[in-house]
Amino acid sequence: MLTGLDIKKSFGSTEVLKDVNIQVKPGRISVLIGPSGSGKTTLIRALALLDFPDSGEIAFDGHTYKFPLNDNQVIEPPWPDLTVVFQQHFLWPHLTLRKNILLPLSKKTDSHHTVDDLIKIFQMEDFIDRYPNEVSIGQRQRAALARAFALEPKYILLDEITSALDVEQTGAVIRHLLTLRDQGIGLLVVTHLLAFARELVAKDEGDHIYFLDNGKILGSGGLEFFENPGSERAKQFISSMDYWTGNNKVS
Ligand code: ADP
Ligand code: MG
């Protein structure tokens, strides 16, 4: 289990995360929704121990880290057991997509088979040996996802990874995320697409939706959360997601 407890984080005098509590369970999908600027990326960076919270606790598979840290305390980010894919996919520009995927795996001799499978799953055969600047943003996005999945992490945090993908590619990603969940991987998925969120949580009651607004979790729940979000604010936000995904019902 990956848990964030009472996470606070400020940049200067701006409080960006205000006592956030969130859980990512093995074999479950947590979906994080919320307006732009509400703190989703900051929360992902904190949970992955890339950018420490000011206060609160992060627990990861039996280890508990309390913030602020003691003066002499050093934390190694738990990569690759906990792997993040950001919207801006940080590929090495001087390596082909294939080498971008293979390089972090150099010590894992058994993973080349996985890489070949991922290249097929994400239909990357035609461009896998090109450099990042020779492919589209969506193709880079798929390479960044394949690189993360090839590491076979126990937990994977995905920050708006579908923004450059078409419907068919998003479908392939959804199917793969559901497969990973069924294999026991814990997933946290940030998305602004209601249809994507619904597909991910639809099939399992243990999956969970969190609504982050202005640095606070304003509501959470299972799939029913979309129909009964509790607060007016969450309702308003969810209906705006509907609007932009084209599922808007005009009444
Ligand atoms: P989201 O991912 O939900 O769009 P972010 O977590 O990126 O939101 O940002 C939340 C708030 O924190 C925004 O107001 C943003 O400007 C601010 N912020 C994020 N990172 C930094 C930073 N490194 N320095 C200063 N402000 C930041
Ligand atoms: Mg963000």
Side-chain angles (χ1 to χ4, degrees):
M1 177 105 90
L2 168 65
T3 308
L5 192 65
D6 297 332
I7 300 295
K8 276 192 211 282
K9 175 88 184 169
S10 295
F11 292 109
S13 58
T14 312
E15 222 184 346
V16 172
L17 298 176
K18 304 165 185 170
D19 292 316
V20 172
N21 291 290
I22 191 163
Q23 285 187 336
V24 185
K25 296 178 181 165
R28 297 285 184 267
I29 294 182
S30 296
V31 171
L32 178 62
I33 59 171
S36 178
S38 58
K40 303 180 299 295
T41 298
T42 306
L43 179 56
I44 283 209
R45 293 185 58 83
L47 285 173
L49 299 167
L50 295 172
D51 201 3
F52 298 153
D54 300 330
S55 67
E57 269 180 38
I58 291 174
F60 177 70
D61 277 357
H63 303 274
T64 300
Y65 306 101
K66 288 191 180 168
F67 298 91
L69 296 178
N70 300 327
D71 284 347
N72 53 1
Q73 199 178 351
V74 179
I75 296 184
E76 292 284 326
W79 183 88
D81 280 351
L82 198 170
T83 291
V84 188
V85 182
F86 291 104
Q87 190 174 9
Q88 303 90 339
H89 16 85
F90 301 102
L91 298 174
W92 293 289
H94 61 293
L95 298 178
T96 65
L97 301 185
R98 187 191 300 275
K99 287 193 175 144
N100 261 279
I101 294 169
L102 291 175
L103 186 66
L105 297 175
S106 46
K107 291 190 198 103
K108 291 185 120 190
T109 48
D110 55 342
S111 45
H112 289 240
H113 177 64
T114 312
V115 171
D116 290 339
D117 285 348
L118 286 165
I119 290 171
K120 274 202 204 94
I121 289 170
F122 295 116
Q123 299 179 345
M124 296 168 51
E125 294 94 336
D126 292 345
F127 57 86
I128 191 69
D129 292 308
R130 292 196 212 152
Y131 289 88
N133 70 350
E134 297 172 340
V135 300
S136 73
I137 299 175
Q139 290 168 335
R140 287 204 284 274
Q141 186 74 76
R142 282 183 273 163
L145 282 169
R147 179 173 64 177
F149 296 146
L151 290 163
E152 299 178 353
K154 290 187 191 159
Y155 293 87
I156 185 152
L157 314 183
L158 304 172
D159 194 359
E160 305 214 13
I161 41 120
T162 59
S163 48
L165 303 183
D166 66 26
V167 175
E168 202 180 345
Q169 292 156 3
T170 302
V173 171
I174 290 172
R175 283 192 296 280
H176 195 64
L177 298 185
L178 295 176
T179 306
L180 292 175
R181 180 188 64 184
D182 293 344
Q183 289 168 358
I185 311 298
L187 297 126
L188 178 66
V189 183
V190 172
T191 182
H192 60 277
L193 298 178
L194 187 60
F196 185 58
R198 277 187 197 279
E199 283 295 319
L200 291 177
V201 291
K203 291 169 192 120
D204 194 317
E205 294 186 356
D207 295 346
H208 214 72
I209 300 141
Y210 293 91
F211 173 56
L212 187 69
D213 189 45
N214 194 20
K216 284 193 190 131
I217 300 288
L218 264 197
S220 71
L223 191 59
E224 75 287 352
F225 181 75
F226 288 125
E227 275 67 49
N228 296 306
S231 65
E232 266 312 302
R233 176 69 191 113
K235 208 168 162 183
Q236 186 189 20
F237 179 76
I238 289 165
S239 60
S240 73
M241 291 173 80
D242 235 349
Y243 181 82
W244 291 112
T245 50
N247 295 327
N248 189 33
K249 286 194 198 85
V250 180
S251 53

